[in-house]
Amino acid sequence: MADPILVEIVEGTLASVEREVETAIARTARSPMIRDAHDFRAGIHDVRLRKLTGRSYSALVQPVVRDFPVGTMRPGDVYFHNDVYLSEGGIGHLPDLCVTVPVFHEGEVVAFVQAFGHHDDIGGAVPGSMPSHARSVYEEGLMVPPIKLRDQGVPNEAALRIMTRNSRMPDSLAGDLDAECSACLMGARRLGELFDRYGRAAVEECFDAIIDKTTETFRRELLSKVPEGVYVWEDYAEHDGVDEPRLHTQRITLTVDHAARSPLTIDFTGTSPQAKGPINHAGDYADGVFLKKWLAPVLRNLADTPERMAELDVNEGVVPLITMIFPEKGTLLTPVFPAPTNARTFVILRLLGVLAGVLAKATGGRMPADQETIRYTGVHGADADGVPYLMREVLGGGSGGRWYADGEDTIHVVPDSRNIPVEFAEARWPFRVERLALACDSGGPGLFRGGLGYDKHIRMLRDASYMSIADRSILSCWGVNGGLAGRPFRVEIAGKEMDGLVDDHPVQAGEVIRIRTTGGGGWGSPYDRDPRAVAADVRDGKVSIAGALGDYGVVLDGDRIDEEGTAQLRANLRPPAGRFFDRGPGYARLSGGRTHAEVDDL
C-alpha cells in the first residue's frame, strides 16, 4: 500500500511538472495561437498509458506505443503525430499537433510527457487548415501518423522540412514544435528525478493510489447523486458547411446502475449519419477512452459545492466508471476515413451539453444550462509590406446559468486560454479593435441568468478576408428548468449577416466586422429572478431596459423598481407551465416548426 504522505508528494510533483511544461511552452512558442491564446495542453501518462494529471484534457499515448513499442524507445527520443484517424481518438483535427516524450529510469520507460495544441497552419485548402466546406480530410492539411521527430536527441530534419514546407507559417510552426519538444524533454527530466529519488516501485504505487482515489471519489460523491434508471436526450449541430442547415443529431441514452462495475453506460445510438462537411469526430477508437475523459468533467457539477467541484481532477480514474456504446461506422461519432473533421468541435462541444441535459433530466435540474464557449474567427491577408498574415482567435462565450448562480461571462472551454490582447493584435496586424465588451442581453433569461458573450468590433485598415468556424449561429444555448435560451452567435460585415462557416469573405479597408458570441442558457424561470438583481444587471449594462421589461417582467423607472407594476406584469407574462428545456426560436426554423423535441419531456 502506498505511503499517503508520498502520494501527496507525487501528486503535487505531477501537477508541478505539468504546469512547468505548459509555462515553458507559453514562454518560448512563436505563434499567437499557442503563445498568446494558450490553445494547448500538457499531460502526464504512466507506462500503462494512464493519464495521471487531471487539470485538463490531453491527447493519448496509445497511438505512439502502437507504432513504436516501449522496448524500442531510447532517451532523447521525441514522437510526433496529428493524424486524426491514426490517433486512437486523441486528435480531433489536423492543426492539433502532438509531441510525446518517454521518461526513463534505469534504462526503462516509466512514463510519458505529452503536449498538444492548435497550431497556425499545417497546409490544406485555406489559411489556418480549417476549410469550412471540406468534403475530405485531404483538403484539411498534412496528415502525419506517429513518427520519430527526434532520435536519441537528433532531429528528424527531413520530417521537419516536409512539415514546414506544407505550412503557410513555416517559422511559427518550426518555433512551436521546438518549444514543445524542449518543454516535454524538460518535463521528462523532472519526472525522472522523481523516480530516482523514491524508486520505481514506490512511485508507481502512488500512481495507482492517485487513479484509484479519483475512481472512488467520483463513484461515491458524484454518481451516487444520480438515481438509477434510463434517461434519453439529444441536441444538434446546425450545419456542416456543405449541406443546407439542418439538425445533425447527437443522442445519449444514459443508463445508471450503481451495482455495476461501470455505473454509467453512455449509448450514442441515434446519432446522425456522418456529415459531408467537416463536423465529424472520430471518437470510437480505444473504447472511447478520449471521450470518457472529455465528458467526465460534466459530472463535477454534481458536487456539493462549487469549491468541491474545483478540487476534483479528471484523470484515468474516471475511465472504469463509464461504458460507451457506439453506433456502427458511418455516423458523426464513427466517421469513415477520409471524412473531414476540422470543425469537429461542433460535435464534441455539443456532447458536453447533451450529457449535461440528460443528467438534468435525471436529477431534477441540478445541472447547468447550455454553453458554447469556443469558436474560431479571424482574418487573413497581406500587410503593408506584402507579407501574408493570419489572425485567428478562439473567442469564448457565456456559460450556462446554474442551480445556485448566474453563468460566467466570456469564458473559454480550454483551461487558461484567452482572447488575443488588443494591444498585441493592433501592433501585429492591419486592423483596429474599436470595441471589446460584453454583449448586452446575450445571456439567457432565468432565475439565474446565462453568462454573456463577447461584443467585438474590428475595423480593417487593409483589404482582407474574414474566416469563421462557428456553431450556434441558428440554434441557441438552451435554458433548463424554466430558464430561457441565450442569444446565438452573430457576425455582421458592412451590414450583411455572415454564416457561421466562412473561409474567405472579402472585407474592404474601412469596413467593420461586428462579432457577438453566444450567451449561455438561463436556469429557472426569469420571473422568479429578484428584481433587484435585474436592476443591477441593467446598471452594469448586462441587460437592457427593454430586456428587463420583456424577458424578466421588471418595470423600471430610472433606477427605481416599480414593484406594483412588476408584480402585475409578471402575473400576466408567466406561462401556466413552462417546458423543462427551452431551445430558442432557431430550433423551430430547422425542425419544421416544432418548439421542442420529443426527448425534452421529463
Side-chain angles (χ1 to χ4, degrees), residues 211-497:
I211 290 172
D212 290 345
K213 181 177 70 172
T214 296
T215 303
E216 290 311 307
T217 299
F218 270 67
R219 184 190 296 271
R220 183 183 64 256
E221 288 191 30
L222 306 183
L223 301 187
S224 62
K225 292 184 170 66
V226 186
E228 290 192 335
V230 179
Y231 311 94
V232 185
W233 205 61
E234 67 186 32
D235 205 1
Y236 319 93
E238 63 196 24
H239 53 171
D240 72 345
V242 175
D243 286 330
E244 289 298 308
R246 61 181 177 85
L247 298 178
H248 297 267
T249 304
Q250 291 121 80
R251 172 177 284 214
I252 285 179
T253 299
L254 179 69
T255 302
V256 183
D257 180 0
H258 295 303
R261 181 178 179 275
S262 297
L264 295 189
T265 297
I266 297 176
D267 185 348
F268 297 109
T269 301
T271 293
S272 287
Q274 72 183 49
K276 295 177 185 175
I279 66 172
N280 306 290
H281 176 70
D284 58 326
Y285 294 85
D287 295 322
V289 68
F290 175 83
L291 273 183
K292 291 177 184 180
K293 287 178 281 189
W294 170 260
L295 293 176
V298 172
L299 300 171
R300 295 189 297 191
N301 289 285
L302 296 167
D304 289 336
T305 65
E307 294 75 17
R308 179 56 178 156
M309 184 192 313
E311 294 173 351
L312 299 176
D313 282 345
V314 176
N315 57 35
E316 204 76 18
V318 302
V319 171
L321 299 172
I322 303 170
T323 297
M324 286 188 167
I325 300 174
F326 290 93
E328 61 186 19
K329 282 288 187 181
T331 71
L332 290 173
L333 277 175
T334 59
V336 178
F337 180 84
T341 67
N342 75 76
R344 95 300 185 201
T345 49
F346 293 10
V347 169
I348 62 172
L349 288 179
R350 191 69 67 252
L351 285 177
L352 294 171
V354 179
L355 181 57
V358 78
L359 285 168
K361 290 181 71 171
T363 60
R366 195 183 165 95
M367 294 296 289
D370 190 35
Q371 62 183 41
E372 175 73 4
T373 55
I374 187 171
R375 76 278 306 140
Y376 302 89
T377 59
V379 290
H380 54 88
D383 63 20
D385 297 322
V387 177
Y389 72 88
L390 167 67
M391 187 288 290
R392 183 174 51 188
E393 189 169 25
V394 185
L395 280 175
S399 69
R402 297 157 286 182
W403 58 271
Y404 56 88
D406 291 344
E408 300 288 346
D409 302 325
T410 59
I411 69 165
H412 297 239
V413 75
V414 180
D416 295 336
S417 66
R418 59 203 69 179
N419 63 319
I420 295 177
V422 170
E423 296 82 2
F424 170 83
E426 291 182 338
R428 181 162 183 145
W429 297 303
F431 59 72
R432 185 166 61 244
V433 179
E434 296 189 340
R435 179 178 175 84
L436 181 62
L438 299 178
C440 182
D441 287 334
S442 58
L447 168 63
F448 295 109
R449 174 182 44 74
L452 274 60
Y454 281 103
D455 184 18
K456 186 168 188 175
H457 297 179
I458 300 171
R459 185 178 295 277
M460 298 307 302
L461 303 181
R462 295 181 60 83
D463 293 353
S465 295
Y466 165 77
M467 58 81 63
S468 169
I469 299 289
D471 203 17
R472 293 294 199 214
S473 62
I474 300 172
L475 300 173
S476 301
C477 294
W478 42 264
V480 69
N481 203 29
L484 303 183
R487 288 194 177 181
F489 176 79
R490 181 182 175 89
V491 175
E492 283 187 5
I493 299 177
K496 179 181 179 181
E497 186 173 350

Side-chain angles (χ1 to χ4, degrees), residues 477-544:
C477 294
W478 42 264
V480 69
N481 203 29
L484 303 183
R487 288 194 177 181
F489 176 79
R490 181 182 175 89
V491 175
E492 283 187 5
I493 299 177
K496 179 181 179 181
E497 186 173 350
M498 297 287 101
D499 292 330
L501 287 166
V502 181
D503 285 336
D504 52 4
H505 181 82
V507 188
Q508 305 301 313
E511 291 183 335
V512 177
I513 305 169
R514 291 177 168 83
I515 303 168
R516 183 192 70 201
T517 66
T518 52
W523 193 100
S525 171
Y527 306 123
D528 291 330
R529 186 169 176 85
D530 188 336
R532 291 171 297 180
V534 177
D537 282 342
V538 172
R539 288 195 299 271
D540 293 341
K542 294 187 174 186
V543 173
S544 66

Side-chain angles (χ1 to χ4, degrees), residues 9-26 38 40-45 50-59 103 112-116 180 183-184 186-191 194 293 300 312-316 415-416:
I9 293 171
V10 170
E11 192 168 23
T13 302
L14 293 173
S16 175
V17 171
E18 181 183 66
R19 177 73 73 174
E20 189 175 3
V21 169
E22 291 188 355
T23 300
I25 292 171
H38 283 212
F40 68 94
R41 298 271 64 80
I44 298 173
H45 306 252
R50 301 179 301 177
K51 184 172 182 289
L52 301 170
T53 46
R55 191 173 61 86
S56 179
Y57 59 90
S58 66
V103 179
F112 297 91
V113 178
Q114 192 175 72
F116 89 111
E180 288 158 350
C184 287
M186 177 270 295
R189 291 194 299 272
R190 295 283 189 270
L191 278 184
L194 179 71
K293 287 178 281 189
R300 295 189 297 191
L312 299 176
D313 282 345
V314 176
N315 57 35
E316 204 76 18
D416 295 336

